[in-house]
Amino acid sequence: MYEEAVSRLASARSLAVITGAGISAESGIPTFRGKDGLWRNYKAEELATPEAFERSPSVVWEWYDMRRGVCASAKPNPAHFAVADMERTIEDFLLITQNVDGLHCRAGSKKLLEIHGNIWKARCMKCRSVFEVNETPLKENPVRCKCGSIARPYIVWFGERYEEGILERASEFLSRTDFLIVIGTSGMVTTPVWLVQIADKAGAYIVDINIEPSLVTGIADHFLEGKAGLVLPEFWSNAKSKRH
Ligand code: OAD
Ligand code: ZN
């Protein structure tokens, strides 16, 4: 029930938020699996795997640079700003995002784990240092590290492990939070669903926000159907006004 979800959030002492591509859809960034999803038009195995990068680093970088251009001209939307405001209001807070677009940071979020990486960063294939690459279009393709070696996009590709320790930090928080909001994720990648299950088992109240039911909806206590940029700010302002 909507009213119950609002009053639970109003009294939450700890809040976790998990976001997927849907939260950035209204900023003009394509999602992966929907009607105009990226994986409809591009083959993941040719662009988002270590093998693809080994075959052709410049083809992979070219594709990421095309997406970097889209991200550069996009702006955070009211859903990103609402999430940033939650962090300022509820001290015990953690945002876990699957998005690599950097829009949460631009909206002011600080306590966040970017579990799939960041499209504005690169990692050296040799010395493994991680550094920012801000220009788009790229001056040099493939991108190179200061040490002279080729660098790859700082993204977790299909078949790869998550960054050391990052899921532990996420699951530790989810196992003790009393409220979780999941926004704009299909649940087709299993790790985020596993994270939602941790919060569920620990007794958190879970709200799922999506334009259509997802694999998270069945686990959630409340499904808030609609565009994140519309329903999230309203939900948050209702709850925030009841906080004391
Ligand atoms: P998907 O593209 O799989 O799912 C996007 C979800 O957002 C869908 O459930 C849509 O219904 C929903 N959606 C679309 N527009 C929305 C809106 N305006 N408001 C709310 N919801 C909306 O994206 P993810 O679940 O994020 O990995 O995909 C997970 C991962 O798969 C991505 O991080 C990416 C991809 O392969 C990497 O690139 C490493
Ligand atoms: Zn290097």
mmCIF file with all atom_site columns, all heavy atoms in Angstrom, residues 20-22 25-26 31-33 39 98 116 155-156 158 184-187 189 210-212 226-228, ligand 1:
data_model
loop_
_atom_site.group_PDB
_atom_site.id
_atom_site.type_symbol
_atom_site.label_atom_id
_atom_site.label_alt_id
_atom_site.label_comp_id
_atom_site.label_asym_id
_atom_site.label_entity_id
_atom_site.label_seq_id
_atom_site.pdbx_PDB_ins_code
_atom_site.Cartn_x
_atom_site.Cartn_y
_atom_site.Cartn_z
_atom_site.occupancy
_atom_site.B_iso_or_equiv
_atom_site.pdbx_formal_charge
_atom_site.auth_seq_id
_atom_site.auth_comp_id
_atom_site.auth_asym_id
_atom_site.auth_atom_id
_atom_site.pdbx_PDB_model_num
ATOM   1   N N   . GLY A 1 20  ? 19.251 1.063   -11.693 1.00 0.00 ? 20  GLY A N   1
ATOM   2   C CA  . GLY A 1 20  ? 19.629 0.482   -12.977 1.00 0.00 ? 20  GLY A CA  1
ATOM   3   C C   . GLY A 1 20  ? 19.374 1.514   -14.073 1.00 0.00 ? 20  GLY A C   1
ATOM   4   O O   . GLY A 1 20  ? 19.007 2.665   -13.785 1.00 0.00 ? 20  GLY A O   1
ATOM   5   N N   . ALA A 1 21  ? 19.525 1.069   -15.301 1.00 0.00 ? 21  ALA A N   1
ATOM   6   C CA  . ALA A 1 21  ? 19.482 1.980   -16.442 1.00 0.00 ? 21  ALA A CA  1
ATOM   7   C C   . ALA A 1 21  ? 18.199 2.810   -16.520 1.00 0.00 ? 21  ALA A C   1
ATOM   8   O O   . ALA A 1 21  ? 18.200 3.921   -17.056 1.00 0.00 ? 21  ALA A O   1
ATOM   9   C CB  . ALA A 1 21  ? 19.673 1.182   -17.728 1.00 0.00 ? 21  ALA A CB  1
ATOM   10  N N   . GLY A 1 22  ? 17.086 2.280   -15.977 1.00 0.00 ? 22  GLY A N   1
ATOM   11  C CA  . GLY A 1 22  ? 15.809 2.991   -16.058 1.00 0.00 ? 22  GLY A CA  1
ATOM   12  C C   . GLY A 1 22  ? 15.821 4.363   -15.414 1.00 0.00 ? 22  GLY A C   1
ATOM   13  O O   . GLY A 1 22  ? 15.084 5.257   -15.841 1.00 0.00 ? 22  GLY A O   1
ATOM   14  N N   . ALA A 1 25  ? 16.908 6.802   -18.045 1.00 0.00 ? 25  ALA A N   1
ATOM   15  C CA  . ALA A 1 25  ? 16.181 6.802   -19.320 1.00 0.00 ? 25  ALA A CA  1
ATOM   16  C C   . ALA A 1 25  ? 15.612 8.187   -19.647 1.00 0.00 ? 25  ALA A C   1
ATOM   17  O O   . ALA A 1 25  ? 15.712 8.660   -20.780 1.00 0.00 ? 25  ALA A O   1
ATOM   18  C CB  . ALA A 1 25  ? 15.065 5.751   -19.290 1.00 0.00 ? 25  ALA A CB  1
ATOM   19  N N   . GLU A 1 26  ? 15.060 8.839   -18.621 1.00 0.00 ? 26  GLU A N   1
ATOM   20  C CA  . GLU A 1 26  ? 14.481 10.172  -18.867 1.00 0.00 ? 26  GLU A CA  1
ATOM   21  C C   . GLU A 1 26  ? 15.547 11.246  -19.070 1.00 0.00 ? 26  GLU A C   1
ATOM   22  O O   . GLU A 1 26  ? 15.217 12.375  -19.439 1.00 0.00 ? 26  GLU A O   1
ATOM   23  C CB  . GLU A 1 26  ? 13.545 10.551  -17.717 1.00 0.00 ? 26  GLU A CB  1
ATOM   24  C CG  . GLU A 1 26  ? 12.284 9.700   -17.714 1.00 0.00 ? 26  GLU A CG  1
ATOM   25  C CD  . GLU A 1 26  ? 11.687 9.629   -16.320 1.00 0.00 ? 26  GLU A CD  1
ATOM   26  O OE1 . GLU A 1 26  ? 11.023 10.594  -15.918 1.00 0.00 ? 26  GLU A OE1 1
ATOM   27  O OE2 . GLU A 1 26  ? 11.893 8.610   -15.636 1.00 0.00 ? 26  GLU A OE2 1
ATOM   28  N N   . THR A 1 31  ? 18.447 2.425   -22.332 1.00 0.00 ? 31  THR A N   1
ATOM   29  C CA  . THR A 1 31  ? 18.605 1.283   -21.441 1.00 0.00 ? 31  THR A CA  1
ATOM   30  C C   . THR A 1 31  ? 19.210 0.131   -22.255 1.00 0.00 ? 31  THR A C   1
ATOM   31  O O   . THR A 1 31  ? 19.535 0.305   -23.435 1.00 0.00 ? 31  THR A O   1
ATOM   32  C CB  . THR A 1 31  ? 17.251 0.864   -20.826 1.00 0.00 ? 31  THR A CB  1
ATOM   33  O OG1 . THR A 1 31  ? 16.379 0.511   -21.886 1.00 0.00 ? 31  THR A OG1 1
ATOM   34  C CG2 . THR A 1 31  ? 16.636 1.985   -19.996 1.00 0.00 ? 31  THR A CG2 1
ATOM   35  N N   . PHE A 1 32  ? 19.339 -1.035  -21.644 1.00 0.00 ? 32  PHE A N   1
ATOM   36  C CA  . PHE A 1 32  ? 19.980 -2.156  -22.339 1.00 0.00 ? 32  PHE A CA  1
ATOM   37  C C   . PHE A 1 32  ? 18.992 -3.097  -23.002 1.00 0.00 ? 32  PHE A C   1
ATOM   38  O O   . PHE A 1 32  ? 19.226 -3.613  -24.076 1.00 0.00 ? 32  PHE A O   1
ATOM   39  C CB  . PHE A 1 32  ? 20.863 -2.937  -21.350 1.00 0.00 ? 32  PHE A CB  1
ATOM   40  C CG  . PHE A 1 32  ? 22.039 -2.139  -20.904 1.00 0.00 ? 32  PHE A CG  1
ATOM   41  C CD1 . PHE A 1 32  ? 21.971 -1.365  -19.755 1.00 0.00 ? 32  PHE A CD1 1
ATOM   42  C CD2 . PHE A 1 32  ? 23.193 -2.099  -21.661 1.00 0.00 ? 32  PHE A CD2 1
ATOM   43  C CE1 . PHE A 1 32  ? 23.044 -0.583  -19.357 1.00 0.00 ? 32  PHE A CE1 1
ATOM   44  C CE2 . PHE A 1 32  ? 24.275 -1.319  -21.280 1.00 0.00 ? 32  PHE A CE2 1
ATOM   45  C CZ  . PHE A 1 32  ? 24.192 -0.556  -20.122 1.00 0.00 ? 32  PHE A CZ  1
ATOM   46  N N   . ARG A 1 33  ? 17.836 -3.335  -22.348 1.00 0.00 ? 33  ARG A N   1
ATOM   47  C CA  . ARG A 1 33  ? 16.984 -4.430  -22.805 1.00 0.00 ? 33  ARG A CA  1
ATOM   48  C C   . ARG A 1 33  ? 15.606 -4.021  -23.315 1.00 0.00 ? 33  ARG A C   1
ATOM   49  O O   . ARG A 1 33  ? 14.903 -4.843  -23.851 1.00 0.00 ? 33  ARG A O   1
ATOM   50  C CB  . ARG A 1 33  ? 16.835 -5.465  -21.694 1.00 0.00 ? 33  ARG A CB  1
ATOM   51  C CG  . ARG A 1 33  ? 18.164 -6.112  -21.390 1.00 0.00 ? 33  ARG A CG  1
ATOM   52  C CD  . ARG A 1 33  ? 18.155 -7.080  -20.274 1.00 0.00 ? 33  ARG A CD  1
ATOM   53  N NE  . ARG A 1 33  ? 19.506 -7.596  -20.085 1.00 0.00 ? 33  ARG A NE  1
ATOM   54  C CZ  . ARG A 1 33  ? 20.476 -6.953  -19.441 1.00 0.00 ? 33  ARG A CZ  1
ATOM   55  N NH1 . ARG A 1 33  ? 20.234 -5.773  -18.880 1.00 0.00 ? 33  ARG A NH1 1
ATOM   56  N NH2 . ARG A 1 33  ? 21.686 -7.479  -19.348 1.00 0.00 ? 33  ARG A NH2 1
ATOM   57  N N   . TRP A 1 39  ? 21.239 -3.556  -26.208 1.00 0.00 ? 39  TRP A N   1
ATOM   58  C CA  . TRP A 1 39  ? 21.508 -4.959  -26.595 1.00 0.00 ? 39  TRP A CA  1
ATOM   59  C C   . TRP A 1 39  ? 20.581 -5.446  -27.708 1.00 0.00 ? 39  TRP A C   1
ATOM   60  O O   . TRP A 1 39  ? 20.707 -6.570  -28.192 1.00 0.00 ? 39  TRP A O   1
ATOM   61  C CB  . TRP A 1 39  ? 21.466 -5.897  -25.392 1.00 0.00 ? 39  TRP A CB  1
ATOM   62  C CG  . TRP A 1 39  ? 22.492 -5.632  -24.318 1.00 0.00 ? 39  TRP A CG  1
ATOM   63  C CD1 . TRP A 1 39  ? 22.322 -5.869  -22.984 1.00 0.00 ? 39  TRP A CD1 1
ATOM   64  C CD2 . TRP A 1 39  ? 23.837 -5.147  -24.452 1.00 0.00 ? 39  TRP A CD2 1
ATOM   65  N NE1 . TRP A 1 39  ? 23.464 -5.535  -22.292 1.00 0.00 ? 39  TRP A NE1 1
ATOM   66  C CE2 . TRP A 1 39  ? 24.407 -5.085  -23.167 1.00 0.00 ? 39  TRP A CE2 1
ATOM   67  C CE3 . TRP A 1 39  ? 24.629 -4.728  -25.540 1.00 0.00 ? 39  TRP A CE3 1
ATOM   68  C CZ2 . TRP A 1 39  ? 25.713 -4.628  -22.935 1.00 0.00 ? 39  TRP A CZ2 1
ATOM   69  C CZ3 . TRP A 1 39  ? 25.928 -4.280  -25.295 1.00 0.00 ? 39  TRP A CZ3 1
ATOM   70  C CH2 . TRP A 1 39  ? 26.448 -4.238  -24.024 1.00 0.00 ? 39  TRP A CH2 1
ATOM   71  N N   . GLN A 1 98  ? 24.129 0.299   -10.861 1.00 0.00 ? 98  GLN A N   1
ATOM   72  C CA  . GLN A 1 98  ? 24.689 -0.492  -11.955 1.00 0.00 ? 98  GLN A CA  1
ATOM   73  C C   . GLN A 1 98  ? 25.085 0.417   -13.106 1.00 0.00 ? 98  GLN A C   1
ATOM   74  O O   . GLN A 1 98  ? 25.669 -0.020  -14.083 1.00 0.00 ? 98  GLN A O   1
ATOM   75  C CB  . GLN A 1 98  ? 23.639 -1.485  -12.473 1.00 0.00 ? 98  GLN A CB  1
ATOM   76  C CG  . GLN A 1 98  ? 23.181 -2.471  -11.431 1.00 0.00 ? 98  GLN A CG  1
ATOM   77  C CD  . GLN A 1 98  ? 21.924 -3.187  -11.896 1.00 0.00 ? 98  GLN A CD  1
ATOM   78  O OE1 . GLN A 1 98  ? 21.988 -4.117  -12.687 1.00 0.00 ? 98  GLN A OE1 1
ATOM   79  N NE2 . GLN A 1 98  ? 20.777 -2.765  -11.421 1.00 0.00 ? 98  GLN A NE2 1
ATOM   80  N N   . HIS A 1 116 ? 29.270 -1.554  -11.557 1.00 0.00 ? 116 HIS A N   1
ATOM   81  C CA  . HIS A 1 116 ? 29.663 -1.930  -12.919 1.00 0.00 ? 116 HIS A CA  1
ATOM   82  C C   . HIS A 1 116 ? 30.717 -1.001  -13.513 1.00 0.00 ? 116 HIS A C   1
ATOM   83  O O   . HIS A 1 116 ? 30.997 -1.057  -14.705 1.00 0.00 ? 116 HIS A O   1
ATOM   84  C CB  . HIS A 1 116 ? 28.437 -1.998  -13.836 1.00 0.00 ? 116 HIS A CB  1
ATOM   85  C CG  . HIS A 1 116 ? 27.571 -3.196  -13.546 1.00 0.00 ? 116 HIS A CG  1
ATOM   86  N ND1 . HIS A 1 116 ? 26.275 -3.309  -13.990 1.00 0.00 ? 116 HIS A ND1 1
ATOM   87  C CD2 . HIS A 1 116 ? 27.826 -4.338  -12.856 1.00 0.00 ? 116 HIS A CD2 1
ATOM   88  C CE1 . HIS A 1 116 ? 25.771 -4.465  -13.571 1.00 0.00 ? 116 HIS A CE1 1
ATOM   89  N NE2 . HIS A 1 116 ? 26.687 -5.103  -12.877 1.00 0.00 ? 116 HIS A NE2 1
ATOM   90  N N   . ILE A 1 155 ? 35.013 -0.766  -16.836 1.00 0.00 ? 155 ILE A N   1
ATOM   91  C CA  . ILE A 1 155 ? 33.656 -1.305  -16.857 1.00 0.00 ? 155 ILE A CA  1
ATOM   92  C C   . ILE A 1 155 ? 33.761 -2.795  -16.526 1.00 0.00 ? 155 ILE A C   1
ATOM   93  O O   . ILE A 1 155 ? 34.715 -3.446  -16.953 1.00 0.00 ? 155 ILE A O   1
ATOM   94  C CB  . ILE A 1 155 ? 33.040 -1.182  -18.289 1.00 0.00 ? 155 ILE A CB  1
ATOM   95  C CG1 . ILE A 1 155 ? 33.030 0.267   -18.793 1.00 0.00 ? 155 ILE A CG1 1
ATOM   96  C CG2 . ILE A 1 155 ? 31.670 -1.841  -18.380 1.00 0.00 ? 155 ILE A CG2 1
ATOM   97  C CD1 . ILE A 1 155 ? 31.918 1.139   -18.306 1.00 0.00 ? 155 ILE A CD1 1
ATOM   98  N N   . VAL A 1 156 ? 32.786 -3.302  -15.801 1.00 0.00 ? 156 VAL A N   1
ATOM   99  C CA  . VAL A 1 156 ? 32.745 -4.751  -15.553 1.00 0.00 ? 156 VAL A CA  1
ATOM   100 C C   . VAL A 1 156 ? 32.025 -5.398  -16.738 1.00 0.00 ? 156 VAL A C   1
ATOM   101 O O   . VAL A 1 156 ? 30.844 -5.160  -16.962 1.00 0.00 ? 156 VAL A O   1
ATOM   102 C CB  . VAL A 1 156 ? 32.004 -5.063  -14.237 1.00 0.00 ? 156 VAL A CB  1
ATOM   103 C CG1 . VAL A 1 156 ? 31.919 -6.571  -14.007 1.00 0.00 ? 156 VAL A CG1 1
ATOM   104 C CG2 . VAL A 1 156 ? 32.714 -4.400  -13.057 1.00 0.00 ? 156 VAL A CG2 1
ATOM   105 N N   . PHE A 1 158 ? 30.854 -8.673  -19.388 1.00 0.00 ? 158 PHE A N   1
ATOM   106 C CA  . PHE A 1 158 ? 30.253 -10.006 -19.251 1.00 0.00 ? 158 PHE A CA  1
ATOM   107 C C   . PHE A 1 158 ? 31.358 -11.026 -18.958 1.00 0.00 ? 158 PHE A C   1
ATOM   108 O O   . PHE A 1 158 ? 32.412 -10.998 -19.587 1.00 0.00 ? 158 PHE A O   1
ATOM   109 C CB  . PHE A 1 158 ? 29.498 -10.393 -20.528 1.00 0.00 ? 158 PHE A CB  1
ATOM   110 C CG  . PHE A 1 158 ? 28.220 -9.611  -20.687 1.00 0.00 ? 158 PHE A CG  1
ATOM   111 C CD1 . PHE A 1 158 ? 28.177 -8.471  -21.472 1.00 0.00 ? 158 PHE A CD1 1
ATOM   112 C CD2 . PHE A 1 158 ? 27.062 -10.001 -20.018 1.00 0.00 ? 158 PHE A CD2 1
ATOM   113 C CE1 . PHE A 1 158 ? 27.002 -7.729  -21.596 1.00 0.00 ? 158 PHE A CE1 1
ATOM   114 C CE2 . PHE A 1 158 ? 25.890 -9.273  -20.134 1.00 0.00 ? 158 PHE A CE2 1
ATOM   115 C CZ  . PHE A 1 158 ? 25.858 -8.132  -20.918 1.00 0.00 ? 158 PHE A CZ  1
ATOM   116 N N   . GLY A 1 184 ? 14.351 1.228   -11.629 1.00 0.00 ? 184 GLY A N   1
ATOM   117 C CA  . GLY A 1 184 ? 14.695 1.083   -13.044 1.00 0.00 ? 184 GLY A CA  1
ATOM   118 C C   . GLY A 1 184 ? 15.699 -0.002  -13.369 1.00 0.00 ? 184 GLY A C   1
ATOM   119 O O   . GLY A 1 184 ? 16.613 0.218   -14.153 1.00 0.00 ? 184 GLY A O   1
ATOM   120 N N   . THR A 1 185 ? 15.509 -1.168  -12.774 1.00 0.00 ? 185 THR A N   1
ATOM   121 C CA  . THR A 1 185 ? 16.367 -2.287  -13.184 1.00 0.00 ? 185 THR A CA  1
ATOM   122 C C   . THR A 1 185 ? 15.506 -3.480  -13.573 1.00 0.00 ? 185 THR A C   1
ATOM   123 O O   . THR A 1 185 ? 14.494 -3.763  -12.933 1.00 0.00 ? 185 THR A O   1
ATOM   124 C CB  . THR A 1 185 ? 17.404 -2.670  -12.095 1.00 0.00 ? 185 THR A CB  1
ATOM   125 O OG1 . THR A 1 185 ? 18.299 -3.640  -12.651 1.00 0.00 ? 185 THR A OG1 1
ATOM   126 C CG2 . THR A 1 185 ? 16.782 -3.244  -10.834 1.00 0.00 ? 185 THR A CG2 1
ATOM   127 N N   . SER A 1 186 ? 15.927 -4.163  -14.652 1.00 0.00 ? 186 SER A N   1
ATOM   128 C CA  . SER A 1 186 ? 15.138 -5.293  -15.146 1.00 0.00 ? 186 SER A CA  1
ATOM   129 C C   . SER A 1 186 ? 15.342 -6.531  -14.278 1.00 0.00 ? 186 SER A C   1
ATOM   130 O O   . SER A 1 186 ? 14.488 -7.406  -14.225 1.00 0.00 ? 186 SER A O   1
ATOM   131 C CB  . SER A 1 186 ? 15.550 -5.627  -16.583 1.00 0.00 ? 186 SER A CB  1
ATOM   132 O OG  . SER A 1 186 ? 16.909 -6.020  -16.612 1.00 0.00 ? 186 SER A OG  1
ATOM   133 N N   . GLY A 1 187 ? 16.505 -6.619  -13.641 1.00 0.00 ? 187 GLY A N   1
ATOM   134 C CA  . GLY A 1 187 ? 16.835 -7.820  -12.870 1.00 0.00 ? 187 GLY A CA  1
ATOM   135 C C   . GLY A 1 187 ? 17.382 -8.938  -13.744 1.00 0.00 ? 187 GLY A C   1
ATOM   136 O O   . GLY A 1 187 ? 17.562 -10.062 -13.284 1.00 0.00 ? 187 GLY A O   1
ATOM   137 N N   . VAL A 1 189 ? 20.357 -9.034  -14.914 1.00 0.00 ? 189 VAL A N   1
ATOM   138 C CA  . VAL A 1 189 ? 21.670 -9.341  -14.343 1.00 0.00 ? 189 VAL A CA  1
ATOM   139 C C   . VAL A 1 189 ? 21.387 -9.808  -12.921 1.00 0.00 ? 189 VAL A C   1
ATOM   140 O O   . VAL A 1 189 ? 20.684 -9.138  -12.167 1.00 0.00 ? 189 VAL A O   1
ATOM   141 C CB  . VAL A 1 189 ? 22.598 -8.099  -14.380 1.00 0.00 ? 189 VAL A CB  1
ATOM   142 C CG1 . VAL A 1 189 ? 23.873 -8.334  -13.585 1.00 0.00 ? 189 VAL A CG1 1
ATOM   143 C CG2 . VAL A 1 189 ? 22.941 -7.760  -15.831 1.00 0.00 ? 189 VAL A CG2 1
ATOM   144 N N   . ASN A 1 210 ? 9.391  1.108   -11.343 1.00 0.00 ? 210 ASN A N   1
ATOM   145 C CA  . ASN A 1 210 ? 9.665  0.721   -12.726 1.00 0.00 ? 210 ASN A CA  1
ATOM   146 C C   . ASN A 1 210 ? 8.427  1.061   -13.556 1.00 0.00 ? 210 ASN A C   1
ATOM   147 O O   . ASN A 1 210 ? 7.324  1.187   -13.020 1.00 0.00 ? 210 ASN A O   1
ATOM   148 C CB  . ASN A 1 210 ? 9.961  -0.794  -12.797 1.00 0.00 ? 210 ASN A CB  1
ATOM   149 C CG  . ASN A 1 210 ? 10.778 -1.180  -14.026 1.00 0.00 ? 210 ASN A CG  1
ATOM   150 O OD1 . ASN A 1 210 ? 10.417 -0.859  -15.160 1.00 0.00 ? 210 ASN A OD1 1
ATOM   151 N ND2 . ASN A 1 210 ? 11.877 -1.873  -13.796 1.00 0.00 ? 210 ASN A ND2 1
ATOM   152 N N   . ILE A 1 211 ? 8.625  1.213   -14.870 1.00 0.00 ? 211 ILE A N   1
ATOM   153 C CA  . ILE A 1 211 ? 7.469  1.465   -15.732 1.00 0.00 ? 211 ILE A CA  1
ATOM   154 C C   . ILE A 1 211 ? 6.683  0.183   -16.019 1.00 0.00 ? 211 ILE A C   1
ATOM   155 O O   . ILE A 1 211 ? 5.577  0.227   -16.526 1.00 0.00 ? 211 ILE A O   1
ATOM   156 C CB  . ILE A 1 211 ? 7.869  2.147   -17.070 1.00 0.00 ? 211 ILE A CB  1
ATOM   157 C CG1 . ILE A 1 211 ? 9.020  1.384   -17.741 1.00 0.00 ? 211 ILE A CG1 1
ATOM   158 C CG2 . ILE A 1 211 ? 8.266  3.607   -16.832 1.00 0.00 ? 211 ILE A CG2 1
ATOM   159 C CD1 . ILE A 1 211 ? 9.314  1.861   -19.159 1.00 0.00 ? 211 ILE A CD1 1
ATOM   160 N N   . GLU A 1 212 ? 7.322  -0.966  -15.718 1.00 0.00 ? 212 GLU A N   1
ATOM   161 C CA  . GLU A 1 212 ? 6.616  -2.244  -15.871 1.00 0.00 ? 212 GLU A CA  1
ATOM   162 C C   . GLU A 1 212 ? 7.174  -3.229  -14.847 1.00 0.00 ? 212 GLU A C   1
ATOM   163 O O   . GLU A 1 212 ? 8.278  -3.033  -14.352 1.00 0.00 ? 212 GLU A O   1
ATOM   164 C CB  . GLU A 1 212 ? 6.788  -2.783  -17.300 1.00 0.00 ? 212 GLU A CB  1
ATOM   165 C CG  . GLU A 1 212 ? 8.238  -3.052  -17.651 1.00 0.00 ? 212 GLU A CG  1
ATOM   166 C CD  . GLU A 1 212 ? 8.431  -3.467  -19.104 1.00 0.00 ? 212 GLU A CD  1
ATOM   167 O OE1 . GLU A 1 212 ? 7.673  -3.032  -19.974 1.00 0.00 ? 212 GLU A OE1 1
ATOM   168 O OE2 . GLU A 1 212 ? 9.383  -4.235  -19.328 1.00 0.00 ? 212 GLU A OE2 1
ATOM   169 N N   . GLY A 1 226 ? 5.591  3.507   -12.729 1.00 0.00 ? 226 GLY A N   1
ATOM   170 C CA  . GLY A 1 226 ? 5.659  4.809   -13.389 1.00 0.00 ? 226 GLY A CA  1
ATOM   171 C C   . GLY A 1 226 ? 7.090  5.196   -13.693 1.00 0.00 ? 226 GLY A C   1
ATOM   172 O O   . GLY A 1 226 ? 8.026  4.463   -13.369 1.00 0.00 ? 226 GLY A O   1
ATOM   173 N N   . LYS A 1 227 ? 7.225  6.352   -14.332 1.00 0.00 ? 227 LYS A N   1
ATOM   174 C CA  . LYS A 1 227 ? 8.563  6.835   -14.680 1.00 0.00 ? 227 LYS A CA  1
ATOM   175 C C   . LYS A 1 227 ? 9.269  7.336   -13.421 1.00 0.00 ? 227 LYS A C   1
ATOM   176 O O   . LYS A 1 227 ? 8.700  8.128   -12.661 1.00 0.00 ? 227 LYS A O   1
ATOM   177 C CB  . LYS A 1 227 ? 8.464  7.973   -15.696 1.00 0.00 ? 227 LYS A CB  1
ATOM   178 C CG  . LYS A 1 227 ? 7.977  7.524   -17.044 1.00 0.00 ? 227 LYS A CG  1
ATOM   179 C CD  . LYS A 1 227 ? 8.046  8.669   -18.029 1.00 0.00 ? 227 LYS A CD  1
ATOM   180 C CE  . LYS A 1 227 ? 7.758  8.150   -19.436 1.00 0.00 ? 227 LYS A CE  1
ATOM   181 N NZ  . LYS A 1 227 ? 7.918  9.197   -20.442 1.00 0.00 ? 227 LYS A NZ  1
ATOM   182 N N   . ALA A 1 228 ? 10.507 6.904   -13.252 1.00 0.00 ? 228 ALA A N   1
ATOM   183 C CA  . ALA A 1 228 ? 11.258 7.264   -12.042 1.00 0.00 ? 228 ALA A CA  1
ATOM   184 C C   . ALA A 1 228 ? 11.283 8.767   -11.800 1.00 0.00 ? 228 ALA A C   1
ATOM   185 O O   . ALA A 1 228 ? 11.125 9.218   -10.666 1.00 0.00 ? 228 ALA A O   1
ATOM   186 C CB  . ALA A 1 228 ? 12.688 6.718   -12.150 1.00 0.00 ? 228 ALA A CB  1
HETATM 187 P P1  . OAD B 2 .   ? 17.898 -2.934  -18.340 1.00 0.00 ? 1   OAD B P1  1
HETATM 188 O O1  . OAD B 2 .   ? 17.958 -2.237  -19.657 1.00 0.00 ? 1   OAD B O1  1
HETATM 189 O O2  . OAD B 2 .   ? 18.034 -4.395  -18.322 1.00 0.00 ? 1   OAD B O2  1
HETATM 190 O O3  . OAD B 2 .   ? 16.540 -2.560  -17.615 1.00 0.00 ? 1   OAD B O3  1
HETATM 191 C C1  . OAD B 2 .   ? 16.093 -1.239  -17.525 1.00 0.00 ? 1   OAD B C1  1
HETATM 192 C C2  . OAD B 2 .   ? 14.835 -1.236  -16.685 1.00 0.00 ? 1   OAD B C2  1
HETATM 193 O O4  . OAD B 2 .   ? 14.414 0.118   -16.531 1.00 0.00 ? 1   OAD B O4  1
HETATM 194 C C3  . OAD B 2 .   ? 13.653 -1.998  -17.292 1.00 0.00 ? 1   OAD B C3  1
HETATM 195 O O5  . OAD B 2 .   ? 13.081 -2.842  -16.309 1.00 0.00 ? 1   OAD B O5  1
HETATM 196 C C4  . OAD B 2 .   ? 12.677 -0.883  -17.709 1.00 0.00 ? 1   OAD B C4  1
HETATM 197 O O6  . OAD B 2 .   ? 11.312 -1.286  -17.608 1.00 0.00 ? 1   OAD B O6  1
HETATM 198 C C5  . OAD B 2 .   ? 13.005 0.196   -16.694 1.00 0.00 ? 1   OAD B C5  1
HETATM 199 N N1  . OAD B 2 .   ? 12.704 1.575   -17.114 1.00 0.00 ? 1   OAD B N1  1
HETATM 200 C C6  . OAD B 2 .   ? 12.822 2.121   -18.347 1.00 0.00 ? 1   OAD B C6  1
HETATM 201 N N2  . OAD B 2 .   ? 12.501 3.423   -18.334 1.00 0.00 ? 1   OAD B N2  1
HETATM 202 C C7  . OAD B 2 .   ? 12.198 3.734   -17.043 1.00 0.00 ? 1   OAD B C7  1
HETATM 203 C C8  . OAD B 2 .   ? 11.804 4.932   -16.358 1.00 0.00 ? 1   OAD B C8  1
HETATM 204 N N3  . OAD B 2 .   ? 11.665 6.092   -17.002 1.00 0.00 ? 1   OAD B N3  1
HETATM 205 N N4  . OAD B 2 .   ? 11.579 4.860   -15.033 1.00 0.00 ? 1   OAD B N4  1
HETATM 206 C C9  . OAD B 2 .   ? 11.707 3.677   -14.356 1.00 0.00 ? 1   OAD B C9  1
HETATM 207 N N5  . OAD B 2 .   ? 12.075 2.518   -14.940 1.00 0.00 ? 1   OAD B N5  1
HETATM 208 C C10 . OAD B 2 .   ? 12.321 2.542   -16.261 1.00 0.00 ? 1   OAD B C10 1
HETATM 209 O O7  . OAD B 2 .   ? 19.000 -2.206  -17.402 1.00 0.00 ? 1   OAD B O7  1
HETATM 210 P P2  . OAD B 2 .   ? 19.682 -2.735  -16.070 1.00 0.00 ? 1   OAD B P2  1
HETATM 211 O O8  . OAD B 2 .   ? 18.754 -3.538  -15.262 1.00 0.00 ? 1   OAD B O8  1
HETATM 212 O O9  . OAD B 2 .   ? 20.340 -1.559  -15.449 1.00 0.00 ? 1   OAD B O9  1
HETATM 213 O O10 . OAD B 2 .   ? 25.822 -3.898  -17.454 1.00 0.00 ? 1   OAD B O10 1
HETATM 214 O O11 . OAD B 2 .   ? 20.804 -3.670  -16.674 1.00 0.00 ? 1   OAD B O11 1
HETATM 215 C C11 . OAD B 2 .   ? 21.764 -4.238  -15.838 1.00 0.00 ? 1   OAD B C11 1
HETATM 216 C C12 . OAD B 2 .   ? 23.114 -4.308  -16.530 1.00 0.00 ? 1   OAD B C12 1
HETATM 217 O O12 . OAD B 2 .   ? 22.991 -4.998  -17.774 1.00 0.00 ? 1   OAD B O12 1
HETATM 218 C C13 . OAD B 2 .   ? 23.699 -2.985  -16.900 1.00 0.00 ? 1   OAD B C13 1
HETATM 219 O O13 . OAD B 2 .   ? 24.389 -2.357  -15.824 1.00 0.00 ? 1   OAD B O13 1
HETATM 220 C C14 . OAD B 2 .   ? 24.638 -3.330  -18.007 1.00 0.00 ? 1   OAD B C14 1
HETATM 221 C C15 . OAD B 2 .   ? 23.828 -4.359  -18.760 1.00 0.00 ? 1   OAD B C15 1
HETATM 222 O O14 . OAD B 2 .   ? 24.546 -5.324  -19.430 1.00 0.00 ? 1   OAD B O14 1
HETATM 223 C C16 . OAD B 2 .   ? 27.026 -3.453  -17.886 1.00 0.00 ? 1   OAD B C16 1
HETATM 224 O O15 . OAD B 2 .   ? 27.172 -2.671  -18.804 1.00 0.00 ? 1   OAD B O15 1
HETATM 225 C C17 . OAD B 2 .   ? 28.187 -3.979  -17.136 1.00 0.00 ? 1   OAD B C17 1
#
